[in-house]
Structure formats: C-alpha cells, structure tokens
Amino acid sequence: MPVCRRTPPRDAVHHPLFARCYARMSPLADERAGVGELRGELLAGLSGRVIEIGAGNGLNFPHYPEAVSEVVAIEPERHLRRLATRAGLRAGVPVDVVPGVAEALPVKSEAFDAAVAALVLCSVRDVRRALAELLRVLRPGGELRFLEHGRAEGRVLATTQRALDRTVWPLMFGGCHTAREVRSEIEAAGFEPLGHRRLRIPERGLTLPTSPCVLGAARRPVSPSRP
C-alpha cells in the first residue's frame, strides 16, 4: 500500500547539532545502558504492517520480527532520516523511511496493524495530536507499543524535571521534555491499556532526568459491532 507523500516543510524539524550528537551517543546507550535489549522486548511479537514515528537513526530496525511485512518509519530530521534510510537497507524486514511529523502522519487511516513510539513522545510538539494520529492510522484492535521516559515518581527528581523543561533542556536536546505523563496521555487519547512496566535507564549508576521510563502496550478499541 503506497504512502501518501504529504511532505512537511523542509525544516519542520531541524536540530542538526543534536541530531549528530544523538547519532553518536544512541548506539552507546543501546549497548551499555541496556536500551538495545529493551528495543527487542518492545517489538517482540509484532506482525503485519507497522508504522514507527520518530525513527531516528533506525536503531529499532534490526529488532523487528520476521512476521512484520513492512515498516513505514517516519522521521522529520534530515540527518537522522538519511541514517535511518541506510539502516533500513540492512534490516531483515522491508523498511520505508518517510519524511513527516507525528502530528500529521502522511498515511491513510486504519492502514496499520501496529504502531511504535520509542523515545520520541518526549520531543513531539503536540503529544495529544500525535497520539490522535496514531489512533487514526491503526486498524481497530491494532497495538501501540511504547518505550518512553517521563515524569519521575519522586518529588525531588520530578521538580528538577519540571525546572529543566521550562528552561534549558528542550533547547539542548532537540525539543525533549523530561516530565511528560506518557501513559496517562495515551489513555486520554482513547487507547485501551494492555499493560506496562516502569524501569530505569540506565539500571545502575547515575540517575538522569530521563532515567524514569515506561515500556508498555495499548490498543485502538475495536468498534462495537452493529446489529
């Protein structure tokens, strides 16, 4: 099924310095902080057509199971999109890397069996609109898999996160916000929760503003049958 090529403005998302830093540091996080193993857990059991938002440099691609027939990977940042395209050529499943933003996905409604959001909802400009788009493009009963960092449960770290989000953090880290309530936003968007677990990245060592994370799944509700 072809992708609708509604390309966003050329610089809809343009963070050249952060993109290059992320491209260098993210493989280290996968290897040394256990993120790679979490990507495998996130994607296990998926099948059919999958849409991934904020694909970055394509680190999820090697973890997709063979039952996935196609991945449409949305990435708005030009440098990361080039890297993702190269990674897609090496993937074990068909990958189509497409320019676009999460708030206006260039694909048809109800076209996908599953959607993936991995360390991206922190940086989208409008979380509610992005989740509404994911709900739109999933078929009824389709799953959303998510691995995201978010607001800490402890008061001290949560206060620190809020202070950083109002000041330097989004400027330094490509629009990232550390204290978003991802799970509650997903439920508020109309997804049915299927389960989650809280975790810390990295599991040991220094606690970062982005350390509190959640890995889970939700689904688009199946419309009630008509009489």
Side-chain angles (χ1 to χ4, degrees), residues 137-223:
V137 303
L138 279 173
R139 64 167 176 77
E143 279 193 38
L144 168 63
R145 301 284 185 90
F146 56 93
L147 169 61
E148 299 287 346
H149 65 76
R151 184 177 300 175
E153 294 184 295
R155 180 178 299 177
V156 173
L157 183 54
T159 300
T160 301
Q161 288 176 321
R162 287 193 294 271
L164 289 171
D165 286 355
R166 295 190 192 104
T167 53
V168 299
W169 197 270
L171 296 174
M172 292 175 61
F173 295 101
C176 173
H177 294 76
T178 63
R180 287 181 171 171
E181 289 277 14
V182 174
R183 216 166 41 84
S184 59
E185 290 279 12
I186 289 171
E187 290 190 39
F191 285 93
E192 294 179 347
L194 296 175
H196 73 279
R197 68 183 181 93
R198 292 188 177 275
L199 48 101
R200 181 182 182 275
I201 301 176
E203 189 175 352
R204 300 180 182 83
L206 181 68
T207 298
L208 304 172
T210 55
S211 286
C213 293
V214 61
L215 187 154
R219 70 176 178 181
R220 175 178 168 174
V222 178
S223 300

Side-chain angles (χ1 to χ4, degrees), residues 9 21 23 76 123 175 205:
C21 291
S123 60

Side-chain angles (χ1 to χ4, degrees), residues 30-48:
D30 275 29
E31 180 182 349
R32 300 179 184 179
V35 178
E37 293 181 8
L38 293 173
R39 293 183 194 276
E41 181 179 345
L42 174 71
L43 304 176
L46 290 181
S47 61

Side-chain angles (χ1 to χ4, degrees), residues 19-33:
R20 283 161 174 78
C21 291
Y22 180 83
R24 289 178 177 272
M25 299 303 295
S26 54
L28 296 177
D30 275 29
E31 180 182 349
R32 300 179 184 179

